[in-house]
Amino acid sequence: MSLTRYDRIRNLSHLSMAKQDAPLTGEALIKEVCRRIRVARSYWDAHNNAACRGERDRAIFLYNTLSKEQKEQIPQVLRVWLRYRSEKYFGTHRTPPKSARKSK
């Protein structure tokens, strides 16, 4: 049984969620922002909107901690995707996600 790209990402996501002793800085922070954007994109492609929203929020939080020079080191494709999805699909003008549904 071969794993899909989505399954591989899901299986590896726990590695980066481990608590870190020191906050990320420099090149490690840039790599983590890129990784989170890519994970959010994979969730988006898999139509998993809740997971995409969570990863996107984490990516934006880290992205906003970068300096202007560091932001320029993020590939343009990822920056454009992050802004486009943030504004169009997850902006304040959109209906927020619903709470857990009650069973009847």
Side-chain angles (χ1 to χ4, degrees):
M1 176 174 97
S2 66
L3 296 175
T4 64
R5 178 177 173 221
Y6 175 70
D7 290 332
R8 285 192 300 263
I9 291 171
R10 238 184 11 190
N11 290 338
L12 296 176
S13 65
H14 71 282
L15 296 175
S16 64
M17 293 185 159
K19 291 193 176 189
Q20 298 174 349
D21 296 334
L24 297 173
T25 58
E27 190 68 27
L29 180 59
I30 294 169
K31 287 178 80 171
E32 181 65 10
V33 171
C34 292
R35 187 191 71 76
R36 291 215 178 257
I37 296 170
R38 287 187 179 104
V39 170
R41 284 175 52 184
S42 70
Y43 284 142
W44 178 261
D45 292 340
H47 304 284
N48 190 345
N49 292 340
C52 177
R53 181 183 295 269
E55 279 299 323
R56 185 194 120 281
D57 288 343
R58 292 182 197 105
I60 287 178
F61 176 79
L62 292 175
Y63 182 79
N64 288 333
T65 63
L66 298 174
S67 67
K68 185 177 180 182
E69 294 80 24
Q70 289 174 320
K71 287 180 182 179
E72 291 173 0
Q73 293 179 9
I74 304 287
Q76 185 177 6
V77 172
L78 298 179
R79 285 185 283 155
V80 168
W81 187 90
L82 185 64
R83 286 194 307 265
Y84 176 71
R85 294 291 180 240
S86 299
E87 295 169 9
K88 183 169 182 179
Y89 293 100
F90 299 109
T92 56
H93 67 285
R94 301 293 295 192
T95 305
K98 294 181 181 179
S99 60
R101 294 184 179 185
K102 297 179 183 178
S103 60
K104 292 183 180 180

